[in-house]
Amino acid sequence: MNKRAGYVLTGGRSFRFGVNKAFADVDGRPMVVHVAERIRSVVDSVALVGPAITYGDLGLRVIEDSVDGFGPVAGILAAVEDSAAPWILVAAC
């Protein structure tokens, strides 16, 4: 069993950013991939929290919000519901 699970919240409507910030190019790769790689060093598993249709092609496990329309709180709830690990790290992208 994993002792520590990591989750990256990919959601958000990006009103201020203008485009989906998770796919913003950072050194030739999407920002969400960089965030996942950074937290991977301190957790046993990493998953993205967001729509599978949007993030499914990134090579990472994707879980979806369990409640629609509640922003980051829904993403945190989805991570807690998904994980059997006693510790979870939730990072925003």
Side-chain angles (χ1 to χ4, degrees):
M1 172 171 80
N2 292 336
K3 293 183 179 180
R4 297 171 303 228
Y7 294 87
V8 181
L9 303 181
T10 62
R13 291 179 259 182
S14 300
F15 286 128
R16 292 172 291 185
F17 202 74
V19 296
N20 185 341
K21 59 188 162 278
F23 286 108
D25 185 280
V26 178
D27 294 330
R29 295 183 301 155
M31 183 179 352
V32 70
V33 173
H34 284 278
V35 175
E37 287 178 355
R38 293 293 174 147
I39 69 170
R40 187 180 303 274
S41 65
V42 295
V43 297
D44 300 310
S45 65
V46 176
L48 305 180
V49 182
I53 195 163
T54 304
Y55 300 101
D57 292 337
L58 293 177
L60 296 161
R61 189 167 74 87
V62 180
I63 65 167
E64 299 202 15
D65 287 349
S66 52
V67 180
D68 195 31
F70 280 90
V73 173
I76 294 167
L77 175 62
V80 170
E81 290 175 338
D82 178 72
S83 181
W87 295 95
I88 65 170
L89 169 67
V90 178
C93 176

